[in-house]
Amino acid sequence: MSAHGGSASTQLPRGLRRSLIAVTAFFVALIIVPQLVGAYINWLWFGEVGYRAVWVTVLFTRITLFAVIALSVGGALFTAMWLAYRFRPAFFPRAKSDDPLDVYRQLAAKWPLRIGLGIAIGLGLICGAIGQGRWETVQLFLRGGTFGQRDPEFGLDVGFFVFDLPFYRLVLSWLFVIVFFAFVACLVTHYLFGGIYLRGKGIGLTHAARIQLAVLVGTFFLLKAVAYWFDRYALLTSRRREPTFAGAGYTDVNAVLPARFILFAIALICAAAVFSALVIRDLRVPAMAAALLLLSSIVVGGVWPLAVEQFSVRPNAADMESPYIERNILATRQAYGIGSDRVEYQSYPGVGSAPPPQVPADRTTIANIRLLDPQVLSRTFTQQQQLKNFYSFPDNLDLDRYTLDGDLRDYVVAARELTPSALSGNQAHWVNRHTVYTHGDGFVAAPANRVNAAVREAGDASASNSGYPIYAVSDIASQQSGNQVIPVEQPRIYYGEVIAQADPDYAIVGGGDEPREYDTDTTKYTYTGAGGVPIGNWLNRIAFAASYAERNILFSKAIGPESKIIFHRDPSTRVERVAPWLTVDSNPYPAVVDGRIVWIVDAYTTIDGYPYAARTSLSALGGDEPTAPGSRREISYARNSVKATVDAYDGTVTLFQVDEQDPVLAAWMSVFPGTVEPESAISDDLRAHFRYPEDLFVIQREMLARYHVDEPREFFTNNAFWSVPSDPTSDTNPQQPPFYVLVGDPTPSFRLASAMVGFRREFLSAYISVRSDPENYGKFTILQLPTDTLTQGPQQIQNSMISDTRVASERTLLERSNRIQYGNLLTLPIADGGVLYVEPLFTERISTSPNGSTFPQLARVLVSYREPGTGGVRVGYAPTLAEALDQVFGPATGNLATAPGGSPAAPPPPGRPETTPEEPGEDVPTSAPPILDEAAIARLEAELDAARRALDRLEQQLGEVLRPDE
């Protein structure tokens, strides 16, 4: 094709050009307009919650980083192409007619500026979009301080590795990208315009091409030298030794580290050799330099360390790695907050030395043994406390503690939330879904160690109205009647875990001519809280209508001048958005604090790069990184430095500092001043409800399983390691979850605890607990059992209990009409050295009706304890905890338990009468009226208990007589 013909063919008709411009503008608008709408809505939302400065700071940092990277990449690319074009040879040989590059050469010669700018701008924008996500690295570099701890190899403050080194490596990586793209652009441009040409069997270069390429290659070698220098520091976070230990080992320090320094020097020499091409025409010198660096990296960087590892370290690994294992132990304890300042180790025999009634702490422990499992009772709460089809509770309930009538007790707690997915029929109409059914109603709590009455007859368990929680309800009805056991000023719940599952997640409240929100069957309500973004003006209505693609927002008469739109209603999501630099716990929980229902959300500061500290996955902290969904980034440092609260009525988010010694939090508080309240701002009532978070405990438990070992050689052999026991109540859970308990100290102490077994064994090795009490919050106690005796662990105890003849025979009877589910198996230190296991057994009636509603009830309690004398295991199995304890310890111990079934029925607290729907549409009272007086009942129960104990002794004696000789 001739040049003239090619030029003519590029001319498009005016109408077609206009159409192309219009189509292009349309698609650009499709991309840009939603971004602008989203930015405007974010501006409004962050202003509503009072954290607009966070959004502005993050946005400004991202834009700045985007601009710097885009301009640097695009500018370097355009400069390289412009210089190559500017110093192209005036004449170069005519290309052959069949040269495939001829058409591109003609095109570039015709529009050099347009093409150069287009390529530079396009690639710059792409790189800027990729790089702006590293805003956290930049801000930590600018605001990061010191840790006050130095690494054992270089003597640098840990802050250098955490705050500075990631930024230096980020800058270095982008410099490599810039040099690479500039080199490619320079090479291609020179080739197109004759600066590089074929000469016989070789390649020819013009003077300008040689100089430009030599500068870029030499710069690359200089950057490589800098990379080798920083790689020395990166060795302290090496993973070469995992899973044995983390950080630099003997080979890294004595072979790889010197090799990095040697390669650093060689890279500098190679850079000088390449720069010599500026004055020396012989290209063999730069080529030899490149070959030297490649060969050196193989020999010095690879072969030498490998030889040291194979012939020196491996034959003597335990001795040679000991100093570095010791560094790993110390650093990991510091990084995860499990050092000697927070962890107390105690020797524990595993065999009791005194009856529980004689141990003051045991009286408190037994009186507060938890029988209700929050992982099991969600449907029970829903069936008995739902009230309306559009209310429900989360799948997993929570545990908290309250002081009522002077007694501290733990409670299973939940908020009665609106369930958008349950709206049906006309309830699901847009008007009803988003303007009428807008909120939940009330806080529900049940003592964790009690039920309304004991299930006595196994065969009739499903028909019995026993084994259910005793509810304390704080909702609109109890507020109006003045009968709130836990006083709540505002029981309406507009923000919560369940209500946020609406798709899309928003409600429009307030501003109508008359109340329209459902409150009770006889009353409507108008929202008066501070939460929500105004939607009465047309600009906001248009923005939200476009965001949700919902025309009803534009035309609905339910929206008045004072209306607000409430969205982002999930407590965790709200905390993630106002504090994107925090990792949020997976399990927020409701609490009544100073008369208001609030969600308490634990939040963590996490980093990677703590020298010598072991790594773990970020997903272990309750999910993925909030700023990068689906990410499994690893961390080597975690602190629960922030407690957040989200008001269930107005959505107010408040962040509280709870660790003043965390340098990472200090850096973020410097980045976002005023966003985190000081610890002094925490009220006593709020602090009383702080729990030690499960997600962090799971990570610390994992670390303590190995890093409780002090001796490096013993650490190397793994002999003294522990393991987390498998969950004996679930075949699908590889690890037993930790559990909250109130134990005696001797006063009640609310703790998060876990049993630990031997490494790849099932015998109990340790018992880890951490306090949630305000005065000793975060203090660990680890009871270490002796290694020369064997104490059964959770899995073995579960097998012993379910194989007991009484359990096996009655289970057969129960399974005729019920589904069996074991609750959490609690491990409790008791009897001044002993270990008590307690496990509730729940039954759920098997319903043949498709509309039948069944839910779990507490039917039996299993107890297991190792006898001090014989070492045998005694199993208690009874309808009540008191009876089960009596079977194991004798009658005096059962009296200590505030046991379910201590009376025929425990009446519910004052408030709305509680009901238990047995069939749809049928309400049955939670407790039948007693026929006998309490004194007669007590006498009958005492006689029944005595008869059972006599029967147990008789069975034991018969078993000893009939047992064959061993």
Side-chain angles (χ1 to χ4, degrees):
M1 181 182 294
S2 66
H4 177 73
S7 176
S9 65
T10 60
Q11 300 298 323
L12 298 175
R14 179 177 298 179
L16 181 59
R17 282 187 309 202
R18 289 178 177 176
S19 298
L20 289 176
I21 292 173
V23 170
T24 303
F26 175 74
F27 282 104
V28 170
L30 284 180
I31 297 174
I32 295 178
V33 171
Q35 300 297 324
L36 295 177
V37 171
Y40 178 65
I41 289 176
N42 281 331
W43 170 268
L44 295 174
W45 186 83
F46 278 94
E48 172 224 332
V49 295
Y51 288 86
R52 186 172 285 165
V54 172
W55 184 74
V56 171
T57 300
V58 173
L59 182 63
F60 177 77
T61 309
R62 285 180 178 270
I63 292 175
T64 302
L65 194 55
F66 171 87
V68 169
I69 293 176
L71 288 174
S72 299
V73 174
L77 194 61
F78 180 79
T79 301
M81 290 187 292
W82 181 82
L83 289 174
Y85 179 77
R86 171 68 178 79
F87 293 100
R88 69 191 184 281
F91 302 97
F92 58 93
R94 180 74 179 176
K96 297 179 181 179
S97 59
D98 60 347
D99 187 353
L101 295 178
D102 185 51
V103 64
Y104 300 106
R105 185 178 290 113
Q106 292 183 35
L107 191 63
K110 183 176 182 180
W111 294 311
L113 184 61
R114 295 182 186 179
I115 293 176
L117 285 175
I119 294 174
I121 292 174
L123 194 58
L125 292 176
I126 293 173
C127 291
I130 295 172
Q132 55 85 28
R134 296 292 300 275
W135 66 273
E136 293 176 325
T137 301
V138 175
Q139 286 290 3
L140 285 178
F141 170 75
L142 296 175
R143 304 286 183 166
T146 61
F147 273 67
Q149 298 169 348
R150 296 189 176 275
D151 80 274
E153 183 60 35
F154 299 102
L156 299 174
D157 188 89
V158 171
F160 168 79
F161 297 89
V162 172
F163 302 131
D164 301 340
L165 186 59
F167 177 78
Y168 297 146
R169 294 176 71 88
L170 174 66
V171 172
L172 188 62
S173 65
W174 280 110
L175 290 176
F176 272 118
V177 170
I178 290 171
V179 171
F180 172 76
F181 283 138
F183 177 82
V184 173
C186 183
L187 190 70
V188 172
T189 306
H190 273 298
Y191 182 70
L192 283 176
F193 292 100
I196 300 175
Y197 53 90
L198 300 178
R199 185 173 57 186
K201 295 184 179 181
I203 298 176
L205 295 174
T206 63
H207 179 70
R210 187 180 75 252
I211 290 178
Q212 292 175 32
L213 293 175
V215 169
L216 290 172
V217 174
T219 303
F220 177 84
F221 282 119
L222 282 178
L223 293 176
K224 191 62 179 174
V226 177
Y228 281 131
W229 183 263
F230 285 126
D231 284 346
R232 297 161 59 247
Y233 303 118
L235 288 175
L236 271 61
T237 57
S238 169
R239 303 188 60 180
R240 284 163 45 91
R241 300 297 174 183
E242 292 183 353
T244 305
F245 67 95
Y250 181 90
T251 302
D252 296 309
V253 172
N254 294 280
V256 179
L257 184 59
R260 293 283 188 272
F261 189 82
I262 294 172
L263 291 172
F264 163 76
I266 293 175
L268 289 178
I269 295 173
C270 292
V274 173
F275 283 125
S276 69
L278 298 176
V279 294
I280 301 176
R281 290 182 176 272
D282 192 353
L283 295 180
R284 290 178 296 179
V285 174
M288 292 174 59
L292 173 62
L293 184 61
L294 178 62
L295 181 63
S296 300
S297 63
I298 295 174
V299 176
V300 179
V303 176
W304 179 26
L306 182 62
V308 172
E309 175 73 17
Q310 294 294 328
F311 302 110
S312 180
V313 176
R314 288 203 172 184
N316 310 285
D319 293 327
M320 301 188 76
E321 301 286 20
S322 288
Y324 308 102
I325 293 176
E326 189 172 2
R327 294 178 178 182
N328 172 224
I329 294 172
L330 180 61
T332 301
R333 291 175 177 177
Q334 293 170 344
Y336 293 98
I338 52 175
S340 58
D341 58 326
R342 299 187 62 188
V343 180
E344 178 186 4
Y345 293 89
Q346 297 178 4
S347 297
Y348 197 75
V351 179
S353 60
Q358 298 180 12
V359 181
D362 290 355
R363 300 176 184 175
T364 302
T365 299
I366 293 175
N368 291 282
I369 290 177
R370 177 164 60 83
L371 299 177
L372 301 185
D373 188 343
Q375 309 300 316
V376 174
L377 291 176
S378 176
R379 283 181 295 111
T380 303
F381 268 54
T382 298
Q383 290 296 323
Q384 296 187 323
Q385 290 295 323
Q386 183 181 28
L387 301 184
K388 296 294 180 181
N389 70 294
F390 44 81
Y391 291 142
S392 75
F393 300 91
D395 291 337
N396 295 323
L397 307 180
D398 292 293
L399 278 168
D400 199 3
R401 68 279 197 202
Y402 288 84
T403 301
L404 300 178
D405 298 327
D407 293 327
L408 179 67
R409 295 191 182 278
D410 52 350
Y411 286 77
V412 178
V413 298
R416 185 192 290 121
E417 296 189 54
L418 179 75
T419 312
S421 60
L423 296 173
S424 59
N426 197 48
Q427 291 176 337
H429 187 277
W430 183 88
V431 172
N432 289 329
R433 187 179 183 90
H434 295 288
T435 68
V436 175
Y437 299 108
T438 58
H439 58 273
D441 177 18
F443 179 82
V444 180
N449 65 336
R450 299 179 65 194
V451 294
N452 60 346
V455 175
R456 290 294 173 186
E457 297 298 330
D460 297 329
S462 59
S464 170
N465 192 41
S466 304
Y468 294 118
I470 304 169
Y471 299 101
V473 182
S474 300
D475 58 5
I476 295 172
S478 63
Q479 182 193 41
Q480 293 173 347
S481 65
N483 292 323
Q484 291 186 333
V485 176
I486 301 176
V488 173
E489 299 172 2
Q490 179 53 266
R492 298 172 181 88
I493 298 171
Y494 284 83
Y495 298 84
E497 297 176 284
V498 178
I499 198 172
Q501 295 173 7
D503 186 20
D505 168 27
Y506 70 89
I508 299 175
V509 297
D513 295 335
E514 58 183 15
R516 70 168 52 245
E517 298 177 53
Y518 175 87
D519 217 29
T520 69
D521 288 341
T522 58
T523 60
K524 303 295 183 183
Y525 182 72
T526 298
Y527 181 73
T528 60
V533 173
I535 199 175
N537 64 76
W538 279 103
L539 176 61
N540 289 4
R541 291 179 75 162
I542 292 172
F544 283 102
S547 178
Y548 292 114
E550 180 56 68
R551 67 178 182 273
N552 287 315
I553 295 178
L554 287 176
F555 304 113
S556 175
K557 295 182 179 179
I559 303 176
E562 303 300 322
S563 294
K564 295 180 178 181
I565 183 169
I566 293 174
F567 57 107
H568 296 319
R569 290 182 286 179
D570 180 68
S572 296
T573 300
R574 295 180 75 82
V575 176
E576 286 175 357
R577 290 181 64 83
V578 304
W581 39 275
L582 291 173
T583 301
V584 177
D585 190 88
S586 63
N587 184 26
Y589 59 98
V592 177
V593 178
D594 299 322
R596 296 186 68 89
I597 301 174
V598 299
W599 295 92
I600 299 178
V601 184
D602 287 287
Y604 311 98
T605 53
T606 58
I607 56 171
D608 191 14
Y610 196 100
Y612 275 104
R615 282 186 173 91
T616 187
S617 172
L618 191 64
S619 61
L621 283 175
D624 299 317
E625 185 180 4
T627 56
S631 170
R632 288 187 61 84
R633 180 174 66 86
E634 292 189 331
I635 59 172
S636 56
Y637 175 97
R639 287 285 192 279
N640 177 214
S641 300
V642 173
K643 300 280 189 179
T645 61
V646 179
D647 192 285
Y649 181 70
D650 61 27
T652 301
V653 181
T654 310
L655 308 177
F656 295 99
Q657 179 184 18
V658 292
D659 186 349
E660 297 179 348
Q661 307 303 317
D662 181 11
V664 180
L665 178 60
W668 285 122
M669 290 176 67
S670 178
V671 175
F672 303 106
T675 57
V676 181
E677 298 292 330
E679 191 169 10
S680 58
I682 302 173
S683 68
D684 292 339
D685 196 6
L686 174 59
R687 191 182 295 274
H689 291 283
F690 284 166
R691 307 184 317 186
Y692 200 84
E694 290 184 68
D695 288 347
L696 180 61
F697 182 82
V698 167
I699 286 181
Q700 292 173 320
R701 178 179 66 174
E702 173 192 346
M703 295 299 167
L704 284 168
R706 295 186 295 160
Y707 290 96
H708 69 277
V709 179
D710 293 313
E711 171 56 42
R713 290 177 180 83
E714 191 175 21
F715 186 97
F716 186 84
T717 63
N718 297 354
N719 287 336
F721 285 1
W722 301 330
S723 294
V724 179
S726 57
D727 190 349
T729 64
S730 173
D731 296 332
T732 60
N733 194 352
Q735 292 188 337
Q736 185 183 32
F739 46 86
Y740 290 102
V741 289
L742 264 176
V743 298
D745 199 24
T747 57
S749 175
F750 190 67
R751 302 190 184 191
L752 182 59
S754 174
M756 303 294 286
V757 296
F759 186 60
R760 296 180 179 175
R761 303 187 70 190
E762 293 295 343
F763 289 102
L764 191 68
S765 292
Y767 179 80
I768 302 175
S769 66
V770 60
R771 300 170 186 265
S772 296
D773 313 312
E775 59 275 9
N776 291 302
Y777 183 88
K779 297 294 184 181
F780 282 80
T781 300
I782 299 182
L783 307 180
Q784 292 182 284
L785 278 71
T787 57
D788 55 351
T789 59
L790 300 179
T791 302
Q792 287 189 337
Q795 189 67 57
Q796 295 170 323
I797 286 295
Q798 175 76 0
N799 296 335
S800 298
M801 290 193 297
I802 64 177
S803 61
D804 184 273
T805 54
R806 294 166 297 170
V807 180
S809 60
E810 192 167 77
R811 180 186 175 110
T812 302
L813 181 62
L814 288 169
E815 286 179 334
R816 293 177 182 175
S817 58
N818 297 274
R819 283 187 289 268
I820 304 297
Q821 184 172 1
Y822 291 102
N824 37 219
L825 177 60
L826 304 181
T827 307
L828 301 170
I830 205 170
D832 200 15
V835 178
L836 177 68
Y837 290 95
V838 179
E839 182 177 53
L841 184 149
F842 296 89
T843 60
E844 180 179 352
R845 177 165 49 88
I846 299 175
S847 176
T848 57
S849 171
N851 298 322
S853 299
T854 63
F855 44 94
Q857 63 184 140
L858 178 66
R860 293 292 182 265
V861 180
L862 294 92
V863 170
S864 178
Y865 180 74
R866 179 184 176 188
E867 293 183 297
T870 63
V873 174
R874 299 203 63 179
V875 175
Y877 177 71
T880 69
L881 174 63
E883 294 171 72
L885 290 173
D886 283 346
Q887 293 174 12
V888 173
F889 295 104
T893 303
N895 294 335
L896 300 178
T898 55
S903 60
R912 180 192 294 118
E914 308 301 337
T915 61
T916 304
E918 290 290 301
E919 295 292 345
E922 178 183 356
D923 288 346
V924 180
T926 52
S927 59
I931 300 175
L932 303 175
D933 60 21
E934 293 186 0
I937 293 170
R939 287 194 300 272
L940 289 174
E941 288 190 339
E943 293 173 1
L944 181 61
D945 289 342
R948 284 199 179 102
R949 288 194 298 272
L951 182 59
D952 290 341
R953 287 194 295 270
L954 180 59
E955 288 178 351
Q956 185 178 3
Q957 293 170 1
L958 288 174
E960 294 175 354
V961 171
L962 299 176
R963 184 182 304 158
D965 295 336
E966 297 180 355

